[in-house]
Amino acid sequence: MASPAGDLPTQACPLPQSKAPADDPELQSRRRRRCCCICFLVTLGMLLLLGVTLLALFLTVLHVRDPSTHLLSSRIVGVAPSLTQPNFTLLITASVHNPNPASFAFASGTTGLWYRGTHVGDAQVDPGSIPSKGDTVVELEMTVFTAGFTANMTQLFEDIEAGSLPLDANARIPGRVAVFGVFKINVVAYSDCHVVVGFPDMGIRGQDCRDHAKL
């Protein structure tokens, strides 16, 4: 007679699943690749954000806006001796407005004066600075050549009888715009003015100035 134990079904014992050791080279390689991908994406995002910020900064802060010039007064302050005709010195006072959110430091510039197309004067603009979104008063001494006025005596007498002299002046002033003391941009400021000066009081009776700046 067979033993009861022989009729019991045999059950196979499950084998334990093997686990990859923590120091598996393939696993470590995958982790390194994952970390590199994350670092690359973070760096790329920061660079894109920095690029957008710099672009916005350039379009708003670093975009140079044109200054504006307003002549305040002019008066004769001296006479310069000459072998042919005496020249005289004209003191011109002007107000310059800087609309940019950055200060403007300018070097020595030049100014010319014309009477009905004839060159009649020159002046040097001393170095200085204009604060951000601020104004400054500039004074310059211009040497006026009387020979240029007497080239057309008929027209000169007509202007004197009318009590006004139409003049044209232009200026070229190189300088730098400084933003936050970090960004410095070379800028050249230009000013072209048509001015009507009273005679003999030398007062400014009318003016039309067009100013612009170039990088």
Side-chain angles (χ1 to χ4, degrees):
M1 187 173 182
S3 172
D7 297 335
L8 296 176
T10 58
Q11 296 180 354
C13 295
L15 296 177
Q17 297 180 356
S18 60
K19 295 184 179 179
D23 56 351
D24 187 0
E26 184 178 354
L27 180 60
Q28 291 182 356
S29 178
R30 287 199 300 267
R31 289 177 177 175
R32 282 195 298 267
R33 287 197 298 268
R34 188 182 300 113
C35 291
C36 291
C37 290
I38 294 174
C39 292
F40 174 77
L41 292 176
V42 172
T43 304
L44 181 62
M46 293 181 64
L47 290 176
L48 290 176
L49 180 61
L50 179 62
V52 172
T53 303
L54 291 178
L55 179 62
L57 183 65
F58 178 81
L59 294 177
T60 55
V61 178
L62 302 183
H63 177 67
V64 179
R65 299 170 179 84
D66 294 335
S68 58
T69 304
H70 182 74
L71 298 178
L72 301 177
S73 64
S74 64
R75 59 189 177 92
I76 298 175
V77 295
V79 177
S82 175
L83 296 177
T84 55
Q85 292 179 339
N87 300 326
F88 59 92
T89 302
L90 188 67
L91 180 64
I92 300 177
T93 304
S95 174
V96 182
H97 175 68
N98 175 23
N100 297 285
S103 61
F104 176 63
F106 55 89
S108 178
T110 56
T111 302
L113 186 67
W114 279 261
Y115 168 67
R116 295 192 178 277
T118 302
H119 183 218
V120 295
D122 285 314
Q124 288 289 121
V125 180
D126 294 330
S129 62
I130 309 176
S132 61
K133 294 185 177 181
D135 303 88
T136 190
V137 175
V138 178
E139 288 187 343
L140 55 93
E141 292 186 353
M142 175 170 287
T143 300
V144 179
F145 316 124
T146 56
F149 286 95
T150 58
N152 189 345
M153 293 297 296
T154 302
Q155 184 64 63
L156 178 63
F157 284 138
E158 291 179 359
D159 290 336
I160 290 176
E161 289 180 358
S164 60
L165 298 175
L167 300 172
D168 293 289
N170 60 33
R172 179 186 182 276
I173 304 175
R176 278 187 173 185
V177 174
V179 182
F180 307 136
V182 178
F183 300 98
K184 294 184 179 180
I185 306 174
N186 292 326
V187 177
V188 179
Y190 297 89
S191 180
D192 298 289
C193 294
H194 177 73
V195 186
V196 178
V197 179
F199 186 86
D201 61 302
M202 300 303 294
I204 305 296
R205 296 189 177 179
Q207 59 181 296
D208 179 21
C209 293
R210 301 181 183 277
D211 308 289
H212 60 282
K214 290 184 178 181
L215 298 177

